[in-house]
Amino acid sequence: MDHARIGNVSEKFADGGCPKSMREGSSRSHAYVWIVLLAACLRIYWLATQPVVISNEGAEYARIAENLVKGNGYVGTMGGPQLIFPPLYPLLIAVFHFLVGNFELAGRLVSLIFGTCLVIPVYGIANLLHGRRVALIGAFLVAFHPILVGLSAEVYSEAPYATLLLVGVYCGLCALRLQSYKYCVAAGISLGLAHLIRPEAMVVPLLCVSALLATALLNRKGIRTAILGSALLAASFSVVIAPYVVFLTRQTGSVMLEGKHNINAWIRSRMNSGMSYTHAEVGVSRDLVEQGPLLNPNSFVSRSPFENGLADVIPYMLRSARNNFRDVFRAVLAVHFGYPILFLLIVIGLFRTPWNLQRTIDEGFLLLLLSVLALLILFGAPSVWGRLTFPMLPFLLVWAAKGSDELSDWMEKSVSSVAQNPGWIAARAGLAMRLISPVALLMVAALGFRHVGDLQSSYGRNVDSKRAGLWLGKYMPDPNKRIMDSGLSVAYYSGGFWAPLPCAEPDVVQRYIQKKSPTFIVLRGRAVPARPYIADWLRNGIPDKSAELIYTAGVQPEDQIKIYRWAGRDHDTEPISKPDYAAPPRAAPSSLPRRNPEP
């Protein structure tokens, strides 16, 4: 690998600023186009053959899109303005809905398209840094990695977020060559769009600007170019996110770039005091005060739990890091990522050959970016799910591809030094190693894939929840019905509003239900570990005469779902949510069936 050619900062950008090495690689082969097509076919097959049930997060995105299409505003499943979830993914779902006529399928198609297109920026980054051979290996790994295939069939934000993030990083790496301003603008736009999907992307423009200025100082030239490029990047990023910032500011009364930080901080600070995750997010006090922020999220979005500023922030961050440290590394050092082969290849790719100045800038930027993303999870996430680390995987695969190429080069040179016919044997030994190491990584990742609970459609989990929701939608078609549940899927599939089932002592929960007086209450066996009182209620029923069992499904305790109709609604009860748009009147109770048919 000719690193001197890649490291030449003074190499001129012809053809609109595209590196010469990339143009020549593209003209010699379009193999990566076939890899993109294979990636698309694999993802389409996966989506078509796997049983799919929308996730809690996906249900919220799809419901926001549905309300946007119906003219109800930026409203989620709880009935009020949605201030936590950024708008770009729901907007894309709304657009695709006009093509397919189904919001859930539209969300999956958005993920599929962006998940397929992820191959392109990974190819671009690897080609820019290490050449076409590494780029093809990296594109192959992204196209066939089980985690990235599975994400492409889910209504999750990770697939579009990862693709836009890597497009922004590719443009940022091109901008570090200090040759074309267009890459600075493109980086700002891409990262702004990524921020409108996942707010943690806001740190990447800061890293890009810092890297631009550091590059100019290290090269002792181009300082004026770096300053102007930084200004263009920051300006384009600000223009893209400005409408969302205005929306949040109008809703909360304070200038906010995103609405998730304070919610996470409230949950994590409550967990730091010794609470379980569920109690921290949906806990209720004995006097029925909603202390968990997810019971009434909009009232917590603009409220910080840090009353004393840094005196509260620093202990919070240290304790959060201590609690999350093991989970973060367990999520990254996971078999479904390809460990240990993945990290063996990463080490080889990073350190087998020496770094020149340009490679130091490039690799240093990527390492810093990955470190910051990991620190955001370490210090800021209320709880570490593996899905939070999935957008980091494509960066790791770039280094793994470089390691595979380096291992192939080592094998070829080693064989040529001992073989009698070095040309023929060495070339095939190198090719074999270039094929074996990526395939071995993917096989290890496939073995661990079945343990990835975040990718629910991989196993058809919660199919009973979908059936229950569809049944409830027929039982009461009224969109004003309120469903109190531990998850969103029944509320989503039934077309109603959702309220979280709280975490508290059984008598407190019972009084809270009486206060809120929902239309229906859903009990699930899978929710028992987080809400122990559900186990008794599933066996013996809800201890209130207002609760009438109307639906039951599932034989095994963990698979049980029971739906109770709440008959205690009156004018003195407090509504669960107050939608800010008019909805059709509720259907007359006399028209409803009393019991469910065999589910």
Side-chain angles (χ1 to χ4, degrees):
M1 188 67 59
D2 188 1
H3 297 293
R5 174 177 57 82
I6 298 173
N8 187 3
V9 180
S10 62
E11 178 185 3
K12 296 298 181 182
F13 277 28
D15 192 22
C18 181
K20 181 181 178 182
S21 61
M22 194 168 191
R23 296 198 315 277
E24 292 178 348
S26 297
S27 63
R28 287 196 301 266
S29 173
H30 293 287
Y32 77 96
V33 176
W34 289 104
I35 294 177
V36 173
L37 294 176
L38 288 173
C41 292
L42 179 59
R43 284 153 174 77
I44 292 171
Y45 172 80
W46 183 262
L47 177 60
T49 58
Q50 297 302 309
V52 289
V53 179
I54 202 165
S55 64
N56 287 334
E57 181 179 310
E60 187 70 6
Y61 284 123
R63 181 59 59 81
I64 295 170
E66 182 179 350
N67 283 322
L68 288 172
V69 170
K70 293 180 178 179
N72 296 328
Y74 197 70
V75 175
T77 55
M78 298 188 76
Q82 172 54 257
L83 305 181
I84 301 177
F85 285 29
L88 183 55
Y89 193 31
L91 287 171
L92 291 171
I93 294 174
V95 171
F96 274 76
H97 165 264
F98 291 108
L99 300 177
V100 298
N102 180 281
F103 290 99
E104 181 181 352
L105 178 59
R108 298 188 191 282
L109 287 179
V110 171
S111 294
L112 187 148
I113 291 171
F114 276 91
T116 301
C117 291
L118 179 62
V119 174
I120 298 173
V122 168
Y123 178 91
I125 291 172
N127 195 21
L128 181 65
L129 271 59
H130 306 301
R132 188 176 65 89
R133 288 197 315 186
V134 175
L136 290 174
I137 297 172
F140 173 80
L141 289 172
V142 171
F144 290 93
H145 198 287
I147 291 294
L148 301 178
V149 173
L151 275 180
S152 299
E154 297 284 353
V155 190
Y156 281 146
S157 62
E158 276 74 14
Y161 168 71
T163 301
L164 289 171
L165 177 65
L166 267 82
V167 169
V169 170
Y170 169 74
C171 293
L173 288 169
C174 289
L176 293 183
R177 272 65 181 168
L178 303 176
Q179 299 293 332
S180 176
Y181 292 128
K182 68 169 62 177
Y183 283 109
C184 297
V185 176
I189 293 173
S190 299
L191 296 174
L193 294 174
H195 172 83
L196 295 181
I197 294 180
R198 291 272 291 269
E200 53 264 41
M202 72 171 68
V203 302
V204 185
L206 298 176
L207 297 178
C208 288
V209 168
S210 301
L212 276 170
L213 298 176
T215 300
L217 292 174
L218 287 172
N219 286 288
R220 298 181 181 178
K221 61 181 180 179
I223 300 219
R224 182 177 178 182
T225 302
I227 293 174
L228 182 55
S230 299
L232 289 172
L233 192 155
S236 56
F237 175 81
S238 300
V239 168
V240 171
I241 71 170
Y244 183 48
V245 174
V246 171
F247 169 77
L248 289 177
T249 301
R250 288 180 175 177
Q251 293 292 331
T252 62
S254 57
V255 178
M256 302 186 69
L257 299 181
E258 49 82 31
K260 188 178 290 187
H261 171 74
N262 282 337
I263 297 290
N264 287 342
W266 275 104
I267 297 173
R268 183 72 255 182
S269 62
R270 285 165 58 81
M271 292 178 67
N272 289 346
S273 67
M275 297 182 185
S276 67
Y277 176 76
T278 306
H279 193 185
E281 66 175 359
V282 291
V284 176
S285 68
R286 293 206 63 85
D287 55 356
L288 303 187
V289 175
E290 295 173 330
Q291 297 177 329
L294 292 192
L295 290 172
N296 191 4
N298 286 1
S299 65
F300 286 84
V301 165
S302 58
R303 291 169 50 199
S304 172
F306 310 121
E307 297 179 356
N308 300 316
L310 288 178
D312 290 338
V313 172
I314 294 176
Y316 159 83
M317 294 182 67
L318 292 177
R319 189 159 186 176
S320 298
R322 184 179 65 184
N323 293 333
N324 286 342
F325 184 83
R326 180 184 300 177
D327 292 336
V328 170
F329 278 87
R330 184 179 297 168
V332 176
L333 300 176
V335 175
H336 56 256
F337 266 33
Y339 179 84
I341 295 178
L342 172 65
F343 287 90
L344 176 63
L345 292 177
I346 289 173
V347 171
I348 295 173
L350 282 174
F351 302 117
R352 181 176 177 265
T353 54
W355 296 5
N356 56 26
L357 177 60
Q358 185 61 51
R359 190 179 176 197
T360 300
I361 293 171
D362 293 335
E363 303 285 20
F365 173 70
L366 292 180
L367 287 169
L368 179 61
L369 172 61
L370 266 291
S371 299
V372 170
L373 293 178
L375 288 175
L376 287 176
I377 300 173
L378 191 67
F379 290 115
S383 185
V384 178
W385 303 279
R387 191 163 54 87
L388 295 176
T389 62
F390 290 171
M392 302 169 65
L393 178 58
F395 295 98
L396 302 179
L397 293 180
V398 170
W399 289 322
K402 180 66 164 65
S404 177
D405 188 63
E406 292 285 4
L407 201 58
S408 171
D409 184 63
W410 170 82
M411 176 65 74
E412 187 172 341
K413 290 180 179 178
S414 297
V415 172
S416 66
S417 66
V418 298
Q420 295 181 348
N421 188 2
W424 185 87
I425 298 177
R428 280 152 183 77
L431 177 61
M433 182 59 66
R434 196 174 292 116
L435 294 174
I436 290 172
S437 53
V439 170
L441 189 160
L442 294 175
M443 290 178 64
V444 170
L447 291 175
F449 179 69
R450 61 191 178 93
H451 299 294
V452 186
D454 290 313
L455 303 180
Q456 298 179 22
S457 68
S458 306
Y459 321 104
R461 296 174 66 182
N462 296 327
V463 171
D464 287 339
S465 296
K466 181 175 182 178
R467 291 172 181 162
L470 294 174
W471 178 87
L472 188 57
K474 295 179 180 178
Y475 178 91
M476 178 182 280
D478 172 31
N480 255 354
K481 56 183 173 285
R482 309 287 199 270
I483 297 125
M484 188 172 281
D485 190 1
S486 56
L488 280 75
S489 55
V490 172
Y492 172 76
Y493 285 113
S494 68
F497 291 109
W498 172 71
L501 194 62
C503 182
E505 295 298 322
D507 63 308
V508 176
V509 176
Q510 187 177 342
R511 289 191 291 116
Y512 182 80
I513 293 174
Q514 291 170 348
K515 177 183 178 182
K516 293 295 185 178
S517 194
T519 316
F520 299 100
I521 302 167
V522 179
L523 303 179
R524 308 166 185 261
R526 294 185 185 275
V528 168
R531 297 168 174 84
Y533 62 87
I534 292 180
D536 178 64
W537 289 8
L538 282 171
R539 286 193 304 267
N540 305 315
I542 299 176
D544 194 299
K545 62 182 181 180
S546 298
E548 176 191 5
L549 181 64
I550 61 170
Y551 180 94
T552 183
V555 177
Q556 298 300 323
E558 65 273 12
D559 296 327
Q560 282 190 329
I561 295 179
K562 292 186 177 181
I563 301 178
Y564 285 81
R565 183 180 172 195
W566 187 260
R569 298 180 65 93
D570 55 50
H571 296 292
D572 297 327
T573 57
E574 179 182 328
I576 288 175
S577 60
K578 296 180 180 179
D580 58 351
Y581 58 88
R586 292 178 55 188
S590 60
S591 65
L592 301 176
R594 299 291 292 177
R595 289 288 186 272
N596 63 304
E598 185 67 25

